[in-house]
Amino acid sequence: MGLQSEDEQRRTAGVSVSDAGADPEMPVLRINQLDALELDAALEQLLWSQFSQCFQYCRPGLLTPLEPELRALLQLLLWRFTLYSGSSTVGQSLLSLRYHNAHSSSSVYRPLTRGQKLGMALLAVGPRWLQERSHNLPLCLGFSSGGLVSEGAASFLQQGLKRSLTLISGVVQLASLINFLVFLRKGRHPVLAERIVGARAVFSKPNVTREVAYQYMNRELLWHGFAEFLIFLLPLINTKKVKATLYSTLFGAAGTEVGGAREGGQGWKECGLCGEWPTMPHTVGCPHVFCYYCIKSHTIADAYFTCPRCGTEAGRPKPARVEVE
């Protein structure tokens, strides 16, 4: 009887039995909220790419005139079957999150009202569509020189509308920046639309166990950090110079002299870079010959270019003087 009366009280309060585990008082990590937004954005991009692939064999540019409207329609469909029906987006569902009505003063979970869900949809789709359509919005409203108004009035209205849209866009971006700074400080409402409608992310299952161990996460973070360090460091290393230095260190100057003597008679017949007959042969201070375009492009791209055959630091390219018998 006690369990039945408690379930009846939750139903009368608008909370289902499946939502009873949600605890609005437990704070949600900032990284979880940002990860949910990233997952939602990735899902929208994936949905649009799959939709555009359906028309890949049609005329090129078929979807371009209606792309803002089609994107808005896909977002509304996604909103209808995720946020509207379950009070959570796809990214939040993957991270065991859902929206809680922050305007409610109750300590138990309260789902979003229909008006809050509609407000989330309008604030998510409307500004993006308006920004993408701002360049041809005056034409859509009939503010053209051949429309319902004269040419001077049309240009004045176009400039005024463009300035108004620019001002509104700047205000919205500034408000979004301020909201994000507040989110970093307090940990609630990472998106401006959530703060406006009063939606706050809470855990749907706060006592759920982690499926990924911290040791695995630490190892992955360490590896990704090391990979990013290598990606940053490798372009700064002159691999050709390092290779030439190692070659001269291992084989010494004798190997270089022997190689130069062996190539002395036939070195002018082969470019040291492309291996073909040298076109407009040039030298850089060593006995090897290069095509003008080969050596010029390499010296421009690498200020510390060295000869790939002997490791000599390249000087200014000079025309090669070859004695023809």
Side-chain angles (χ1 to χ4, degrees):
M1 292 295 293
L3 294 175
Q4 291 180 355
S5 61
E6 186 176 355
D7 292 342
E8 290 177 358
Q9 290 177 0
R10 287 169 179 167
R11 291 192 186 96
T12 55
V15 182
S16 62
V17 179
S18 60
D19 296 336
D23 187 8
E25 301 298 330
M26 179 174 292
V28 180
L29 296 177
R30 296 171 177 82
I31 188 62
N32 288 355
Q33 302 181 52
L34 296 178
D35 286 343
L37 295 177
E38 291 294 330
L39 290 173
D40 293 336
L43 178 62
E44 293 178 2
Q45 185 62 30
L46 178 62
L47 187 62
W48 171 253
S49 63
Q50 293 294 327
F51 177 77
S52 59
Q53 285 181 1
C54 298
F55 301 89
Q56 61 180 348
Y57 297 109
C58 298
R59 178 174 56 84
L62 180 64
L63 301 179
T64 303
L66 298 176
E67 183 175 349
E69 287 74 18
L70 293 175
R71 285 182 177 271
L73 180 60
L74 291 178
Q75 289 178 353
L76 289 176
L77 290 175
L78 191 62
W79 164 83
R80 171 61 183 84
F81 294 104
T82 56
L83 182 59
Y84 184 79
S85 59
S87 293
S88 63
T89 62
V90 177
Q92 289 179 338
S93 299
L94 293 175
L95 298 175
S96 300
L97 300 176
R98 63 177 53 197
Y99 279 124
H100 166 68
N101 188 357
H103 292 163
S104 176
S105 59
S106 177
S107 59
V108 297
Y109 172 77
R110 288 289 184 272
L112 298 180
T113 62
R114 184 175 299 180
Q116 288 176 320
K117 295 177 180 179
L118 290 175
M120 287 284 293
L122 292 177
L123 292 175
V125 178
R128 185 180 300 179
W129 174 85
L130 187 62
Q131 183 179 5
E132 294 177 354
R133 280 298 184 190
S134 60
H135 63 282
N136 57 357
L137 189 60
L139 298 178
C140 297
L141 297 177
F143 296 157
S144 58
S145 58
L148 301 177
V149 294
S150 61
E151 183 176 357
S155 61
F156 177 76
L157 291 175
Q158 287 182 5
Q159 293 179 0
L161 184 60
K162 185 180 296 184
R163 291 176 181 175
S164 301
L165 291 176
T166 303
L167 179 61
I168 293 174
S169 177
V171 171
V172 171
Q173 292 179 2
L174 179 60
S176 301
L177 177 60
I178 296 175
N179 176 79
F180 188 74
L181 295 177
V182 175
F183 161 73
L184 294 179
R185 178 68 178 84
K186 297 185 177 180
R188 295 183 178 182
H189 309 296
V191 182
L192 184 61
E194 297 181 5
R195 189 176 299 275
I196 293 176
V197 303
R200 181 166 58 89
V202 297
F203 281 111
S204 59
K205 298 177 181 180
N207 296 326
V208 65
T209 58
R210 292 182 58 88
E211 297 181 358
V212 181
Y214 280 107
Q215 296 179 355
Y216 173 79
M217 294 181 61
N218 292 336
R219 185 168 62 251
E220 289 296 319
L221 289 174
L222 182 61
W223 169 249
H224 284 294
F226 181 68
E228 291 180 357
F229 176 73
L230 289 181
I231 292 173
F232 170 76
L233 184 62
L234 286 179
L236 304 178
I237 300 176
N238 190 349
T239 56
K240 295 181 180 179
K241 189 174 182 179
V242 172
K243 182 180 178 181
T245 304
L246 291 176
Y247 183 83
S248 60
T249 303
L250 295 177
F251 297 98
T256 303
E257 294 176 357
V258 171
R262 184 176 61 251
E263 297 178 355
Q266 303 294 332
W268 60 273
K269 296 183 179 180
E270 181 181 347
C271 174
L273 291 171
C274 65
E276 301 294 335
W277 188 278
T279 303
M280 301 173 61
H282 280 64
T283 60
V284 289
C286 64
H288 301 98
V289 180
F290 307 91
C291 299
Y292 172 75
Y293 296 103
C294 293
I295 190 62
K296 192 65 176 180
S297 60
H298 280 75
T299 53
I300 291 176
D302 186 6
Y304 303 98
F305 178 75
T306 57
C307 176
R309 299 292 181 89
C310 60
T312 305
E313 292 188 3
R316 185 175 180 181
K318 297 180 180 180
R321 297 181 179 180
V322 180
E323 296 181 0
V324 180
E325 296 180 359

